[in-house]
Amino acid sequence: GDQVKQSPSALSLQEGTNSALRCNFSIATTTVQWFLQNPRGSLMNLFYLVPGTKENGRLKSTFNSKESYSTLHIRDAQLEDSGTYFCAADLPGTGSNRLTFGKGTKFSLIP
Amino acid sequence: GGIITQTPKFLIGQEGQKLTLKCQQNFNHDTMYWYRQDSGKGLRLIYYSITENDLQKGDLSEGYDASREKKSSFSLTVTSAQKNEMAVFLCASSINNYAEQFFGPGTRLTVL
Protein backbone atom coordinates (compact mmCIF):
# COMPACT_ATOMS: atom_id res chain seq x y z
CA GLY A 1 0.00 0.00 0.00
CA ASP A 2 0.90 3.65 -0.14
CA GLN A 3 3.42 4.67 2.46
CA VAL A 4 2.39 8.33 2.23
CA LYS A 5 -1.38 8.84 1.99
CA GLN A 6 -2.84 12.26 1.32
CA SER A 7 -6.44 13.27 1.91
CA PRO A 8 -8.63 14.48 0.45
CA SER A 9 -7.57 13.78 -3.15
CA ALA A 10 -9.44 16.88 -4.31
CA LEU A 11 -11.01 19.90 -2.68
CA SER A 12 -13.14 22.73 -4.11
CA LEU A 13 -13.90 25.63 -1.83
CA GLN A 14 -15.14 29.19 -1.98
CA GLU A 15 -12.71 32.05 -1.59
CA GLY A 16 -12.23 33.15 1.96
CA THR A 17 -12.88 29.77 3.56
CA ASN A 18 -10.49 27.67 5.63
CA SER A 19 -9.34 24.15 4.86
CA ALA A 20 -7.16 21.35 6.19
CA LEU A 21 -5.14 18.84 4.20
CA ARG A 22 -3.71 15.74 5.78
CA CYS A 23 -0.86 13.37 5.17
CA ASN A 24 -0.61 9.97 6.95
CA PHE A 25 2.56 7.91 7.01
CA SER A 26 2.49 4.14 7.33
CA ILE A 27 5.93 4.11 8.99
CA ALA A 28 7.86 6.56 11.13
CA THR A 29 9.53 9.49 9.42
CA THR A 30 11.86 12.19 10.68
CA THR A 31 11.08 15.10 8.36
CA VAL A 32 8.20 16.18 6.14
CA GLN A 33 8.07 18.63 3.25
CA TRP A 34 4.97 20.29 1.80
CA PHE A 35 4.91 21.64 -1.75
CA LEU A 36 2.43 23.46 -3.96
CA GLN A 37 2.56 22.59 -7.64
CA ASN A 38 1.05 25.49 -9.56
CA PRO A 39 -0.96 25.05 -12.77
CA ARG A 40 2.26 25.62 -14.80
CA GLY A 41 3.85 22.64 -13.07
CA SER A 42 6.42 24.39 -10.87
CA LEU A 43 6.89 22.93 -7.39
CA MET A 44 7.12 25.59 -4.72
CA ASN A 45 8.46 24.79 -1.26
CA LEU A 46 5.95 25.58 1.49
CA PHE A 47 7.33 23.92 4.62
CA TYR A 48 10.20 21.73 5.74
CA LEU A 49 9.27 20.23 9.10
CA VAL A 50 10.80 18.32 11.93
CA PRO A 51 8.19 17.38 14.59
CA GLY A 52 6.33 20.54 15.54
CA THR A 53 4.45 23.40 13.91
CA LYS A 54 5.41 26.15 11.48
CA GLU A 55 3.41 29.06 10.21
CA ASN A 56 3.85 31.29 7.16
CA GLY A 57 1.20 33.89 6.39
CA ARG A 58 -2.11 32.12 5.86
CA LEU A 59 -0.50 28.68 5.93
CA LYS A 60 0.20 26.58 8.98
CA SER A 61 1.61 23.08 9.10
CA THR A 62 2.05 20.55 11.87
CA PHE A 63 4.06 17.35 11.92
CA ASN A 64 3.20 14.83 14.61
CA SER A 65 5.88 12.13 14.44
CA LYS A 66 4.44 10.01 17.26
CA GLU A 67 1.14 9.56 15.46
CA SER A 68 2.74 9.63 11.99
CA TYR A 69 0.79 12.41 10.33
CA SER A 70 1.13 15.96 9.10
CA THR A 71 -1.48 18.59 8.38
CA LEU A 72 -1.51 21.74 6.27
CA HIS A 73 -4.06 24.40 7.15
CA ILE A 74 -4.99 27.12 4.66
CA ARG A 75 -6.74 30.12 6.16
CA ASP A 76 -8.84 32.58 4.12
CA ALA A 77 -8.17 30.78 0.83
CA GLN A 78 -7.35 32.95 -2.20
CA LEU A 79 -7.22 32.19 -5.93
CA GLU A 80 -3.43 32.06 -5.87
CA ASP A 81 -3.66 29.07 -3.49
CA SER A 82 -5.00 26.93 -6.35
CA GLY A 83 -2.93 23.98 -7.50
CA THR A 84 -1.94 20.57 -6.22
CA TYR A 85 -0.49 20.20 -2.74
CA PHE A 86 2.01 17.44 -2.14
CA CYS A 87 3.50 16.16 1.06
CA ALA A 88 6.68 14.13 1.04
CA ALA A 89 8.51 12.24 3.77
CA ASP A 90 11.97 10.77 4.16
CA LEU A 91 11.17 7.22 5.16
CA PRO A 92 13.66 5.16 7.17
CA GLY A 93 15.62 2.36 5.60
CA THR A 94 15.84 4.08 2.23
CA GLY A 95 19.10 5.90 2.88
CA SER A 96 19.85 9.62 2.54
CA ASN A 97 16.96 11.99 2.02
CA ARG A 98 14.94 9.92 -0.45
CA LEU A 99 11.60 11.65 -0.41
CA THR A 100 8.49 9.52 -0.81
CA PHE A 101 5.62 11.61 -2.17
CA GLY A 102 1.91 11.36 -1.63
CA LYS A 103 -0.40 11.48 -4.65
CA GLY A 104 -1.43 15.07 -3.95
CA THR A 105 -4.53 17.08 -3.10
CA LYS A 106 -5.92 19.04 -6.02
CA PHE A 107 -7.13 22.35 -4.58
CA SER A 108 -9.39 24.69 -6.52
CA LEU A 109 -11.18 27.86 -5.55
CA ILE A 110 -14.69 28.82 -6.54
CA PRO A 111 -14.72 32.63 -7.02
CA GLY B 1 19.46 32.20 -2.99
CA GLY B 2 19.94 30.19 -6.12
CA ILE B 3 18.21 28.68 -9.08
CA ILE B 4 17.79 25.31 -10.76
CA THR B 5 17.51 25.27 -14.53
CA GLN B 6 16.43 22.34 -16.63
CA THR B 7 16.92 21.97 -20.39
CA PRO B 8 15.11 21.48 -22.59
CA LYS B 9 11.72 22.57 -21.29
CA PHE B 10 9.97 20.32 -23.79
CA LEU B 11 11.53 17.22 -25.34
CA ILE B 12 9.97 15.28 -28.19
CA GLY B 13 11.51 12.01 -29.27
CA GLN B 14 10.82 8.89 -31.26
CA GLU B 15 10.18 5.51 -29.71
CA GLY B 16 13.52 3.72 -29.16
CA GLN B 17 15.53 6.94 -29.24
CA LYS B 18 18.17 7.82 -26.64
CA LEU B 19 17.34 11.18 -25.05
CA THR B 20 19.25 13.33 -22.54
CA LEU B 21 17.84 15.81 -20.06
CA LYS B 22 20.08 18.32 -18.28
CA CYS B 23 19.93 20.04 -14.92
CA GLN B 24 22.10 22.83 -13.49
CA GLN B 25 22.02 24.38 -10.00
CA ASN B 26 23.93 27.34 -8.59
CA PHE B 27 23.05 26.76 -4.93
CA ASN B 28 26.39 24.95 -4.51
CA HIS B 29 24.36 22.01 -3.19
CA ASP B 30 26.04 18.64 -2.77
CA THR B 31 23.05 16.39 -3.53
CA MET B 32 21.00 16.30 -6.72
CA TYR B 33 17.97 14.21 -7.69
CA TRP B 34 15.90 13.20 -10.70
CA TYR B 35 12.18 12.47 -10.27
CA ARG B 36 9.51 11.45 -12.71
CA GLN B 37 5.93 12.69 -12.45
CA ASP B 38 3.22 10.96 -14.45
CA SER B 39 0.08 12.92 -15.24
CA GLY B 40 -2.02 13.55 -12.14
CA LYS B 41 0.31 11.64 -9.84
CA GLY B 42 3.05 12.18 -7.28
CA LEU B 43 6.79 12.12 -7.92
CA ARG B 44 8.96 9.02 -8.00
CA LEU B 45 12.73 9.00 -7.58
CA ILE B 46 14.80 7.79 -10.55
CA TYR B 47 18.41 8.56 -9.54
CA TYR B 48 20.21 10.74 -7.06
CA SER B 49 23.80 11.78 -6.44
CA ILE B 50 25.26 12.85 -3.11
CA THR B 51 28.43 14.34 -4.59
CA GLU B 52 30.29 14.77 -7.87
CA ASN B 53 30.73 11.44 -9.69
CA ASP B 54 28.43 9.63 -7.24
CA LEU B 55 25.28 7.82 -8.47
CA GLN B 56 22.56 6.08 -6.47
CA LYS B 57 19.56 4.27 -7.93
CA GLY B 58 16.08 5.28 -6.93
CA ASP B 59 12.84 3.34 -7.22
CA LEU B 60 12.48 3.80 -10.97
CA SER B 61 16.00 3.55 -12.39
CA GLU B 62 15.41 0.82 -15.01
CA GLY B 63 15.57 2.30 -18.49
CA TYR B 64 17.54 5.35 -17.34
CA ASP B 65 21.18 6.35 -16.89
CA ALA B 66 22.47 9.38 -15.04
CA SER B 67 25.72 11.30 -14.87
CA ARG B 68 27.01 13.81 -12.30
CA GLU B 69 29.73 15.44 -14.37
CA LYS B 70 30.39 18.19 -11.87
CA LYS B 71 28.90 19.47 -8.64
CA SER B 72 26.56 21.89 -10.38
CA SER B 73 25.16 19.59 -13.06
CA PHE B 74 23.27 16.30 -13.18
CA SER B 75 22.05 14.78 -16.43
CA LEU B 76 19.53 12.01 -17.04
CA THR B 77 19.45 9.78 -20.13
CA VAL B 78 16.42 7.84 -21.27
CA THR B 79 18.19 4.88 -22.87
CA SER B 80 15.35 3.85 -25.20
CA ALA B 81 12.28 6.08 -25.09
CA GLN B 82 8.92 4.32 -24.77
CA LYS B 83 5.43 5.74 -25.16
CA ASN B 84 4.46 4.75 -21.63
CA GLU B 85 7.11 7.00 -20.13
CA MET B 86 5.71 10.30 -21.34
CA ALA B 87 5.90 12.37 -18.19
CA VAL B 88 7.42 15.43 -16.58
CA PHE B 89 10.96 14.95 -15.27
CA LEU B 90 11.89 17.10 -12.30
CA CYS B 91 15.37 17.80 -11.04
CA ALA B 92 16.01 18.79 -7.41
CA SER B 93 18.94 19.64 -5.20
CA SER B 94 19.65 19.87 -1.48
CA ILE B 95 22.59 21.15 0.55
CA ASN B 96 23.31 17.64 1.73
CA ASN B 97 21.54 14.32 1.59
CA TYR B 98 19.44 15.01 4.71
CA ALA B 99 18.19 18.51 3.93
CA GLU B 100 15.27 20.29 2.30
CA GLN B 101 15.00 19.72 -1.45
CA PHE B 102 14.41 22.44 -4.03
CA PHE B 103 13.01 21.73 -7.47
CA GLY B 104 13.59 22.91 -11.02
CA PRO B 105 10.77 23.77 -13.46
CA GLY B 106 10.75 20.38 -15.17
CA THR B 107 11.16 18.87 -18.64
CA ARG B 108 8.05 17.50 -20.32
CA LEU B 109 8.83 14.43 -22.41
CA THR B 110 6.65 13.36 -25.33
CA VAL B 111 7.37 10.14 -27.22
CA LEU B 112 5.93 9.77 -30.72
Side-chain angles (χ1 to χ4, degrees):
Chain A
D2 294 343
Q3 293 179 306
V4 178
K5 280 189 181 171
Q6 283 190 248
S7 60
S9 57
L11 195 54
S12 288
L13 294 173
Q14 288 199 313
E15 262 187 286
T17 54
N18 302 333
S19 58
L21 284 58
R22 189 171 171 111
C23 201
N24 288 314
F25 313 112
S26 60
I27 53 179
T29 183
T30 52
T31 64
V32 175
Q33 282 193 242
W34 281 93
F35 300 90
L36 170 59
Q37 189 168 41
N38 66 23
R40 287 195 313 277
S42 296
L43 266 175
M44 296 182 289
N45 290 51
L46 298 178
F47 293 103
Y48 175 69
L49 295 158
V50 293
T53 297
K54 282 188 178 178
E55 200 161 347
N56 184 6
R58 294 180 292 103
L59 301 180
K60 181 178 171 181
S61 185
T62 296
F63 171 32
N64 184 324
S65 57
K66 286 183 183 173
E67 296 181 27
S68 297
Y69 74 88
S70 178
T71 55
L72 176 68
H73 291 263
I74 305 170
R75 178 174 51 83
D76 184 24
Q78 303 296 310
L79 282 174
E80 63 260 29
D81 299 328
S82 298
T84 302
Y85 289 83
F86 288 99
C87 66
D90 66 327
L91 300 176
T94 59
S96 298
N97 188 9
R98 293 178 55 157
L99 289 179
T100 300
F101 279 75
K103 291 183 178 173
T105 294
K106 193 165 182 180
F107 189 78
S108 54
L109 269 289
I110 306 163
Chain B
I3 194 167
I4 299 177
T5 54
Q6 291 187 237
T7 54
K9 195 168 181 177
F10 299 95
L11 182 55
I12 302 173
Q14 300 287 331
E15 209 166 8
Q17 194 176 357
K18 185 175 174 181
L19 301 165
T20 298
L21 293 70
K22 293 189 181 293
C23 177
Q24 298 264 359
Q25 53 95 2
N26 64 1
F27 285 104
N28 199 33
H29 284 170
D30 281 332
T31 309
M32 295 185 76
Y33 310 80
W34 276 106
Y35 291 88
R36 171 178 154 173
Q37 184 178 26
D38 292 277
S39 181
K41 295 187 180 175
L43 283 68
R44 291 181 289 172
L45 182 66
I46 306 173
Y47 269 101
Y48 67 103
S49 166
I50 61 175
T51 189
E52 189 177 333
N53 294 319
D54 174 73
L55 272 184
Q56 309 281 341
K57 289 185 178 181
D59 302 317
L60 210 63
S61 59
E62 193 169 328
Y64 301 96
D65 284 328
S67 175
R68 184 84 182 273
E69 308 91 358
K70 48 186 179 179
K71 188 175 181 179
S72 61
S73 68
F74 192 31
S75 58
L76 180 73
T77 298
V78 181
T79 54
S80 175
Q82 302 299 314
K83 288 194 177 178
N84 64 2
E85 65 194 333
M86 292 200 291
V88 175
F89 291 81
L90 290 154
C91 175
S93 72
S94 58
I95 192 164
N96 58 45
N97 49 319
Y98 289 97
E100 183 177 9
Q101 294 184 25
F102 295 88
F103 283 79
T107 292
R108 182 174 293 276
L109 173 65
T110 301
V111 181
L112 302 175

